[in-house]
Amino acid sequence: MSVLMVLVLSALLVACNSKSTGDDKGGGSGAEVPDRIRVVIGSTSTGGDTYQNADAVSRYLEDSLGTNMKVDAVGAVKAFSELSNADTDGSTIMFFHDMSYLGIEYGSINKKNKLENWKIGPVVSTNPGNAFLARSDAPYDTMADSAEWLQSNPNETITVAIEAGGTSEISFDGYYLWVEEKYGEEVANRIKVYPTGSQQDKNQALWDGNADIINGSIGGNSEYTKDGVDSDVKMKFLGITAGERVEGYDIPTFSEQGITFDGEKFVFDKEFFFLLPKDINPDFAKALDKAVAEVVENSDYINDLSKNAYIPNYIPADKADDYLLEKRSTLQNIIKNAPSVDELTE
């Protein structure tokens, strides 16, 4: 009897100390959540919007899931590699944005990493500040103005610095195709591309005179647009691709400027979401989804995002799948009709 009592007590202690989400983690789903979760992101920068959004949501998810989360900025290629070798327990998951599928469409990411090969988690947040900028003394104030300026100055060209294979290229393609449709090939052919990498590289291309316009963001570039900035580095915003203006910034959207594709207003919102191994433990996936739903309602989290003009944008995992696949389909049509970066590089 003594031995039996010891065994019963031991079993009870193990049950009490288990890592079940129960009432403490995952909202009572019963899913086991690892003690530590590694969140790999498709960027190598710890100062960009991918890291900032991943870090913000991870810090708040730690409490909801009762675990420790570490964001690891490994870049897209390694992130997908790590995800393909990850255990099914959720100890390694991925956080990225639309480049995760745009890179495949543009050929910069291997096709084996297409969305269908992963379990798509919830959409978490949006960076509505995807923007284009020029030097403060540029002869145009919007992207639409730049096309008008090209038409009025037939001996001039405009070079735009973008990062090939991602969100800046799809935004550029929308602009280019609109110029081609409205002003014809003669004007569009005088728009060139300066392919580069990080945001700092794009900024430097503008300052060095290698580009007239650059792709950037409100969070990353607004400091260069403020009063008092040295004229050598001062910039101005020419427009954002989001569907609505960002509160606190007087920057017109592409759609306000009349920029369209295939008869529809051109809108591109840069959205961040989780990707999980295809055979992830379904209980963990549910626990993560439920935890994200709680976090996006947290006023402290919302305030943290707003510091960089980001906004929460929760789409549950069971709807995010269809949503992202439909968004990809729309953007595929733009990519199919746009010239390649190589064709437009001087």
Side-chain angles (χ1 to χ4, degrees):
M1 287 295 294
S2 297
V3 172
L4 181 60
M5 286 296 294
V6 169
L7 291 173
V8 170
L9 287 171
S10 298
L12 287 171
L13 285 171
V14 169
C16 290
N17 291 322
S18 72
K19 292 301 178 182
S20 170
T21 56
D23 293 330
D24 298 318
K25 302 197 299 181
S29 69
E32 290 189 354
V33 174
D35 290 335
R36 297 182 181 277
I37 297 176
R38 181 185 179 210
V39 183
V40 293
I41 64 173
S43 170
T44 56
S45 170
T46 56
D49 58 356
T50 303
Y51 185 89
Q52 290 168 343
N53 278 273
D55 177 67
V57 74
S58 295
R59 281 188 284 109
Y60 288 92
L61 281 173
E62 285 185 326
D63 289 336
S64 296
L65 291 172
T67 186
N68 295 303
M69 301 182 77
K70 178 182 181 297
V71 179
D72 200 353
V74 298
V77 174
K78 187 169 183 183
F80 278 119
S81 176
E82 294 293 308
L83 194 62
S84 67
N85 294 316
D87 291 333
T88 61
D89 61 354
S91 54
T92 296
I93 58 180
M94 184 173 173
F95 185 91
F96 204 18
H97 52 73
D98 301 272
M99 187 177 177
S100 60
Y101 60 86
L102 287 175
I104 293 170
E105 302 303 322
Y106 281 121
S108 60
I109 295 177
N110 195 300
K111 290 183 178 179
K112 70 180 182 180
N113 296 315
K114 64 183 180 179
L115 290 175
E116 288 85 350
N117 289 345
W118 311 110
K119 166 67 176 174
I120 297 175
V123 175
V124 176
S125 54
T126 296
N127 178 2
N130 180 49
F132 286 90
L133 304 97
R135 294 183 65 94
S136 61
D137 59 356
Y140 31 80
D141 294 319
T142 67
M143 292 299 281
D145 284 348
S146 71
E148 290 279 356
W149 181 82
L150 273 178
Q151 185 183 46
S152 301
N153 295 272
N155 296 321
E156 298 288 349
T157 62
I158 285 178
T159 300
V160 185
I162 62 171
E163 182 178 4
T167 56
S168 60
E169 186 170 358
I170 194 69
S171 303
F172 169 80
D173 284 348
Y175 162 72
Y176 181 93
L177 290 171
W178 170 74
V179 173
E180 185 178 51
E181 180 181 8
K182 182 169 183 178
Y183 296 94
E185 289 187 1
E186 192 281 323
V187 173
N189 286 342
R190 289 186 279 120
I191 300 174
K192 305 299 179 183
V193 165
Y194 184 84
T196 184
S198 69
Q199 189 58 58
Q200 184 58 37
D201 291 339
K202 298 189 194 82
N203 296 347
Q204 199 62 52
L206 185 67
W207 296 329
D208 290 343
N210 292 321
D212 304 294
I213 295 174
I214 62 171
N215 178 253
S217 69
I218 290 177
N221 293 89
S222 60
E223 62 179 302
Y224 300 113
T225 67
K226 296 177 180 178
D227 293 339
V229 173
D230 190 285
S231 60
D232 290 339
V233 297
K234 192 170 184 180
M235 306 176 183
K236 61 182 175 183
F237 285 106
L238 302 181
I240 57 174
T241 62
E244 299 179 358
R245 287 198 181 201
V246 175
E247 185 177 354
Y249 297 89
D250 185 23
I251 310 171
T253 66
F254 268 36
S255 57
E256 281 181 81
Q257 298 177 45
I259 297 175
T260 60
F261 172 74
D262 199 22
E264 300 289 335
K265 293 179 178 179
F266 179 82
V267 174
F268 174 73
D269 283 308
K270 186 177 182 181
E271 296 173 299
F272 297 87
F273 49 90
F274 282 105
L275 287 174
L276 315 173
K278 186 71 172 178
D279 53 354
I280 189 78
N281 182 326
D283 288 335
F284 172 82
K286 290 177 184 177
L288 175 66
D289 193 33
K290 181 171 176 134
V292 170
E294 294 172 358
V295 167
V296 297
E297 298 294 332
N298 187 318
S299 60
D300 292 332
Y301 168 71
I302 295 170
N303 288 335
D304 281 356
L305 289 188
S306 68
K307 293 174 184 177
N308 290 302
Y310 309 141
I311 55 176
N313 173 29
Y314 173 63
I315 301 176
D318 61 354
K319 295 182 179 178
D321 194 306
D322 287 341
Y323 173 78
L324 290 174
L325 290 175
E326 183 177 349
K327 184 177 182 181
R328 182 186 67 180
S329 178
T330 299
L331 298 178
Q332 281 173 334
N333 197 29
I334 293 175
I335 296 169
K336 181 177 68 176
N337 285 280
S340 69
V341 165
D342 290 341
E343 293 176 74
L344 299 179
T345 301
E346 290 186 303

